[in-house]
Amino acid sequence: MNRVKVMQTKLMTKTGNQAVELRVRDLLLNVLTVSSGAVDAISFLALGKVFSAFMTGNIAFLGFRAAGADGPSAVAVLASMGGFAVGVYASTRIVKRSEGSGVWPRDVTVALGLSLIAHAVFLAVWFASNGQPSTDVAHVLLGLWGLAMGMQSAAVRTLHVDGVFTTAATATIILLVGDITNWSATVEERRRLAGVLVSLFVGATAGGLLLVHAPIYAPVLPAVITIAVVVTALIVFQTPRSVKLPAEFRLL
């Protein structure tokens, strides 16, 4: 009986650990959404009115250009979209090996860590141009941030959290508002979806404020956020916590 009680205690501990991991996962998704909101605010306001994460808007911009209406440069839009596509491809190749394994698979952290290379190069180029890049340099920066956001999007997609993409809010709004018709989502799910929308707003606001009051340091925010997410994920999700039941207990 004592052994059974010990194993029950371990199982309760494991359940508690999983609940903590789910809360941390949702927090990290919100934080990544803050990052993408800041990225889009800064890239739109400082890099030629083009988004680095919100590809729906960029496709609309291409439509404007095709119609002969005013809009961002097609080269700028394609640079961002091309970088995003490459990022999605690269990240998908990384994370597909561990898809479905745990709350936050190790390869998700690896993909986000590699996206920091694009953030680092972006900052190097940004500082070299004193925060005032030429048109050609801006295209390079859009490609770099598009790459980082594409990697982030593909990595988060592996987690299969409904309505959460961190780089777009359309699906989140659909699920959150659509749930009003039948109220089928749990409180935790509604809180998660609402948190994504608030985080996107907070990120865009923070990016805009930094660009107005401290433009040279504005792009540091998304990089710092991504570093914090990677470090937190390494601490929380890559620490072994599995509890393996002995054969005799599994027969009880």
Side-chain angles (χ1 to χ4, degrees):
M1 287 298 295
N2 287 336
R3 183 166 184 171
V4 172
K5 289 181 179 179
V6 168
M7 293 311 302
Q8 288 176 335
T9 301
K10 289 183 177 180
L11 284 174
M12 291 176 63
T13 300
K14 181 181 179 183
T15 301
N17 287 337
Q18 289 176 335
V20 170
E21 287 182 347
L22 288 172
R23 287 195 292 271
V24 173
R25 179 202 65 185
D26 290 348
L27 175 62
L28 295 186
L29 290 175
N30 286 338
V31 173
L32 286 173
T33 306
V34 171
S35 174
S36 65
V39 162
D40 266 344
I42 296 167
S43 61
F44 186 84
L45 294 173
L47 300 176
K49 308 299 182 183
V50 175
F51 296 114
S52 292
F54 182 52
M55 292 298 111
T56 303
N58 285 343
I59 292 174
F61 293 153
L62 285 180
F64 297 166
R65 299 296 297 183
D70 291 337
S73 162
V75 175
V77 174
L78 291 174
S80 177
M81 293 180 66
F84 192 91
V86 171
V88 170
Y89 177 82
S91 187
T92 301
R93 291 292 300 269
I94 294 169
V95 299
K96 71 178 183 179
R97 300 171 298 181
S98 61
E99 189 169 0
S101 57
V103 173
W104 187 288
R106 179 183 63 85
D107 288 336
V108 171
T109 306
V110 172
L112 291 173
L114 290 175
S115 75
L116 286 170
I117 297 174
H119 280 289
V121 177
F122 183 104
L123 289 175
V125 176
W126 177 267
F127 286 129
S129 61
N130 199 31
Q132 297 179 328
S134 65
T135 300
D136 291 339
V137 173
H139 295 164
V140 173
L141 294 176
L142 286 168
L144 288 168
W145 255 357
L147 176 66
M149 292 298 99
M151 295 192 73
Q152 176 179 309
S153 296
V156 168
R157 178 174 174 270
T158 306
L159 302 178
H160 297 295
V161 182
D162 287 345
V164 178
F165 296 95
T166 73
T167 54
T170 303
T172 306
I173 294 174
I174 291 172
L175 287 178
L176 183 61
V177 178
D179 180 60
I180 295 175
T181 61
N182 50 25
W183 212 244
S184 59
T186 65
V187 173
E188 191 66 29
E189 288 170 334
R190 288 191 290 271
R191 184 182 297 118
R192 181 188 305 126
L193 295 173
V196 168
L197 299 180
V198 172
S199 297
L200 193 61
F201 173 81
V202 169
T205 301
L209 286 172
L210 283 171
L211 200 59
V212 170
H213 299 288
I216 191 64
Y217 299 111
V220 175
L221 177 62
V224 170
I225 287 176
T226 306
I227 291 171
V229 168
V230 169
V231 171
T232 302
L234 286 172
I235 294 172
V236 175
F237 300 108
Q238 270 60 70
T239 302
R241 292 188 177 88
S242 59
V243 178
K244 187 174 182 179
L245 297 178
E248 60 269 27
F249 183 78
R250 291 198 296 268
L251 294 175
L252 293 178

